[in-house]
Amino acid sequence: MAKLTVEEAYELKVGPNFQLADVDPSSTPGLSGKSSVDEAFNDLDDALDEEQEKLYANGRAGNENAGSVLLVLQGMDTAGKGGIIRHVIGKTMDLQGVHVKAFGRPTEEEAAHDFLWRFGPHLPEPGQISVFDRSHYEDVLVQRVKQLAPPEEIERRYGAIVEFENELAARGTRIIKVMPHISREYQAENLKERIENPEKHWKYNPGDIDDRKLWSQYMAAYQIAMTRTSTDVAPWYCVPSDNKKYCRTVVKTLMLEALQSLQLEWPKADFDPEMELARLAQS
Amino acid sequence: MAKLTVEEAYELKVGPNFQLADVDPSSTPGLSGKSSVDEAFNDLDDALDEEQEKLYANGRAGNENAGSVLLVLQGMDTAGKGGIIRHVIGKTMDLQGVHVKAFGRPTEEEAAHDFLWRFGPHLPEPGQISVFDRSHYEDVLVQRVKQLAPPEEIERRYGAIVEFENELAARGTRIIKVMPHISREYQAENLKERIENPEKHWKYNPGDIDDRKLWSQYMAAYQIAMTRTSTDVAPWYCVPSDNKKYCRTVVKTLMLEALQSLQLEWPKADFDPEMELARLAQS
């Protein structure tokens, strides 16, 4: 049975010497061939299901130290963020313990506050998992590429993000940040499909081509953002994603490891089982 | 290939002459045998996936007339509400288009308002599906059985609920109300499992036995609530649920029919595909 090990997934972690240009989006490190990816993908569902239920159970039982998980997804158009949410989160987890939030352009009210302000209400409570579809990294990616904020403000944000994530981690949140990394050629195929297939028109926006023309500027912005904000408590993973299923397998592996690292037990009974069985028998 | 037809699901609709006592919780109307239930259960996933995506797409495209769906789940403890959310909603739908909300005892602030006040913020926007795990029916079920409100206030609520749901339907929301109906014997098995299995302790509450002792009063309250509030635009379905998979199959069938009844098309392109293909080729 093909499996992706946690150690193999950790190889995708962004360290100080990380070079985005060296990552081949079409590779599948740790797994070779379609059938290996398929097997590894399906291998993790039962464990994920159980670990997430245990986390949720602890939250429901009022365990303030249950911990929580934040999954940040940040990638180019058509990189597969939606598919991760659907196939990794939706299919294996209890929706009642999951909060998915997509972040678009800031509203006027949001833009009037510090850039981190709008994310606070969507951070996970103990026992919960939050998934950000785009995130606070927009503020150092698109905003840098399109010069929507002054350079010194962009500069300030890297540190502010690290501080924000450090505090979050200190409060018991496991943070996983994933850049599903696709090639420019693969994006062209995906965009072509969205333009040609009427069932996918709603996913296409002519602005996607404008962003595509800025590909190398975006890659430079990702390179800087990921190296400056990948920390022990909130690491970035740059995941080759021309094979979408490979990327989803990596995310499952990282999510499972994050959940297991919380080392949760099932909540203790706040009742006497013998007595309750007797009450049940008499009821 | 065994299938549950929409007509068969409609047979479970609560009409003026409905008698809850006549419904056998262990029956599986329209399907016979485990393999039939299994087949019918799996039959609907692709269609549900597609229809929900179309609804979500319309919402995203800003179609104010997209419509929406509200699924109300109201049943006795261990009847399988959580399983419906997990297996019918989570596994087939895009989480970004779904809002699941569990309602517990009202907070002090909520209790200070009219009983319907707290549900408003959780109703679905165009393009969305909301699922209520318990609902505004608590206010005519537990509140009636335990006399938590004066009889004339309970009496007033049936009409208020019908009016509330009529308005919601008039704004384009398809409403499906499901009572997963289990037998008292099956509940005993489920509670026993929750008391004996440490992984399920968190789902058990000694108060469940107190409610169980009021079984016949609850059934009477359901009988009244369902017959008085089952309308053309917001029908109740009393679904035999000792076979959980049967119940989930019925809910899938009803959800699919509700989504199809919105008669949505994929959103029209707000761009010229030929021009965009040319732009893509040059990018």
Side-chain angles (χ1 to χ4, degrees):
Chain A
M1 182 87 179
K3 247 181 96 105
L4 185 77
T5 66
V6 174
E7 290 69 29
E8 284 161 342
Y10 282 170
E11 289 290 316
L12 305 170
K13 202 183 286 194
V14 171
N17 301 318
F18 171 78
Q19 290 298 331
L20 180 52
D22 293 345
V23 179
D24 175 1
S26 70
S27 63
T28 56
L31 294 172
S32 57
K34 187 178 172 315
S35 66
S36 297
V37 174
D38 286 352
E39 277 180 29
F41 176 76
N42 291 316
D43 178 47
L44 301 161
D45 289 1
D46 291 344
L48 266 175
D49 182 329
E50 178 170 342
E51 288 298 326
Q52 188 260 337
E53 187 177 14
K54 208 190 288 176
L55 173 61
Y56 178 63
N58 273 274
R60 280 289 296 268
N63 176 359
E64 282 298 318
N65 300 314
S68 61
V69 178
L70 172 64
L71 174 65
V72 171
L73 302 174
Q74 190 75 48
M76 298 296 284
D77 289 317
T78 82
K81 300 182 295 293
I84 292 170
I85 293 168
R86 202 167 178 118
H87 295 277
V88 177
I89 307 296
K91 301 231 173 186
T92 65
M93 299 185 185
D94 187 336
L95 301 202
Q96 306 207 43
V98 176
H99 174 58
V100 177
K101 175 66 185 173
F103 292 99
R105 198 175 298 188
T107 62
E108 213 168 296
E109 189 194 11
E110 288 168 349
H113 287 80
D114 181 67
F115 77 103
L116 288 169
W117 179 79
R118 65 179 177 144
F119 302 98
H122 301 287
L123 294 172
E125 300 288 319
Q128 295 275 320
I129 295 174
S130 284
V131 182
F132 286 2
D133 177 357
R134 302 186 188 271
S135 67
H136 42 302
Y137 286 93
E138 291 285 293
D139 297 275
V140 290
L141 293 168
V142 59
Q143 296 228 350
R144 181 184 180 104
V145 169
K146 297 196 175 164
Q147 304 177 0
L148 302 175
E152 60 277 14
E153 165 62 9
I154 299 284
E155 195 55 33
R156 181 190 73 83
R157 290 178 181 173
Y158 299 109
I161 287 175
V162 169
E163 204 172 303
F164 174 72
E165 292 176 350
N166 279 345
E167 277 172 29
L168 189 58
R171 289 205 306 272
T173 301
R174 296 288 189 275
I175 305 167
I176 303 169
K177 302 182 294 195
V178 171
M179 178 203 185
H181 181 37
I182 56 172
S183 64
R184 209 166 176 280
E185 296 67 37
Y186 184 59
Q187 191 195 46
E189 286 174 37
N190 290 331
L191 288 174
K192 187 159 179 282
E193 165 77 5
R194 290 185 180 182
I195 296 170
E196 288 181 334
N197 182 348
E199 298 191 4
K200 300 206 168 184
H201 280 166
W202 66 281
K203 293 186 176 186
Y204 179 78
N205 181 326
D208 297 351
I209 305 262
D210 303 326
D211 276 349
R212 177 174 166 75
K213 288 180 179 163
L214 298 167
W215 190 275
S216 61
Q217 290 93 317
Y218 269 105
M219 291 306 112
Y222 272 99
Q223 166 74 34
I224 297 166
M226 291 198 289
T227 45
R228 291 193 56 178
T229 64
S230 192
T231 62
D232 285 347
V233 297
W236 269 105
Y237 296 89
C238 178
V239 185
S241 297
D242 281 7
N243 180 327
K244 286 176 196 280
K245 213 170 212 178
Y246 173 75
C247 176
R248 292 170 195 163
T249 304
V250 172
V251 178
K252 280 186 181 179
T253 305
L254 295 171
M255 285 293 290
L256 181 58
E257 169 61 18
L259 287 164
Q260 287 171 336
S261 77
L262 294 171
Q263 297 188 292
L264 293 172
E265 304 286 334
W266 289 99
K268 292 271 175 298
D270 53 0
F271 54 86
D272 173 355
E274 290 306 316
M275 185 187 298
E276 293 305 315
L277 284 174
R279 288 181 69 219
L280 177 62
Q282 285 157 18
S283 72
Chain B
M1 182 85 178
K3 246 182 96 106
L4 185 78
T5 65
V6 174
E7 290 69 30
E8 284 161 341
Y10 283 169
E11 289 290 318
L12 305 170
K13 202 184 286 194
V14 171
N17 301 318
F18 172 77
Q19 289 298 331
L20 179 53
D22 293 345
V23 179
D24 175 0
S26 70
S27 63
T28 56
L31 294 172
S32 55
K34 186 178 173 314
S35 67
S36 297
V37 174
D38 286 352
E39 277 180 29
F41 176 75
N42 291 315
D43 178 48
L44 300 160
D45 290 1
D46 291 345
L48 265 174
D49 182 331
E50 178 169 342
E51 288 299 325
Q52 188 261 336
E53 188 177 13
K54 208 191 284 175
L55 174 60
Y56 177 64
N58 272 273
R60 280 288 296 268
N63 176 0
E64 283 298 318
N65 300 313
S68 61
V69 178
L70 171 64
L71 174 64
V72 171
L73 301 175
Q74 190 75 49
M76 297 297 284
D77 289 317
T78 83
K81 300 183 296 293
I84 293 170
I85 293 168
R86 201 166 179 118
H87 295 276
V88 176
I89 308 296
K91 302 233 173 185
T92 64
M93 299 186 184
D94 187 336
L95 301 203
Q96 306 207 43
V98 176
H99 173 57
V100 177
K101 175 66 184 171
F103 291 100
R105 200 176 296 188
T107 63
E108 212 168 296
E109 189 194 10
E110 287 168 350
H113 287 80
D114 182 67
F115 77 104
L116 289 169
W117 179 78
R118 64 177 178 146
F119 302 98
H122 301 287
L123 295 172
E125 300 288 319
Q128 295 275 321
I129 294 174
S130 284
V131 183
F132 285 3
D133 177 357
R134 303 186 187 269
S135 67
H136 44 302
Y137 285 94
E138 291 285 293
D139 297 277
V140 291
L141 293 168
V142 59
Q143 297 228 348
R144 181 185 180 103
V145 169
K146 298 195 175 166
Q147 304 178 0
L148 301 175
E152 61 276 15
E153 166 60 10
I154 299 285
E155 194 55 33
R156 181 190 73 83
R157 289 177 182 173
Y158 299 109
I161 287 174
V162 169
E163 204 173 302
F164 173 73
E165 292 177 350
N166 279 345
E167 276 173 30
L168 189 58
R171 290 205 306 272
T173 301
R174 295 288 190 276
I175 305 167
I176 303 170
K177 301 182 294 195
V178 170
M179 177 203 185
H181 181 36
I182 56 172
S183 64
R184 209 166 175 281
E185 295 68 36
Y186 184 58
Q187 191 195 45
E189 285 174 38
N190 290 331
L191 288 175
K192 187 158 179 283
E193 165 78 4
R194 289 184 180 183
I195 296 170
E196 290 182 332
N197 182 347
E199 298 191 4
K200 299 206 168 182
H201 280 166
W202 66 282
K203 293 186 176 186
Y204 178 78
N205 182 326
D208 297 351
I209 304 261
D210 303 325
D211 276 350
R212 177 174 166 75
K213 288 182 179 162
L214 298 168
W215 190 275
S216 62
Q217 290 91 318
Y218 269 106
M219 290 307 112
Y222 272 99
Q223 165 74 33
I224 296 168
M226 291 199 289
T227 45
R228 292 192 56 176
T229 64
S230 191
T231 62
D232 284 349
V233 297
W236 270 106
Y237 296 89
C238 178
V239 185
S241 297
D242 281 6
N243 180 327
K244 286 176 195 281
K245 213 170 209 177
Y246 173 76
C247 176
R248 293 171 194 162
T249 305
V250 172
V251 178
K252 280 185 180 179
T253 305
L254 294 171
M255 284 294 289
L256 182 58
E257 169 61 17
L259 287 164
Q260 287 172 336
S261 78
L262 294 170
Q263 297 189 293
L264 293 171
E265 305 287 334
W266 289 98
K268 290 270 176 298
D270 54 0
F271 54 85
D272 173 356
E274 290 305 316
M275 185 187 295
E276 294 304 317
L277 284 174
R279 288 181 69 219
L280 176 62
Q282 286 157 18
S283 72

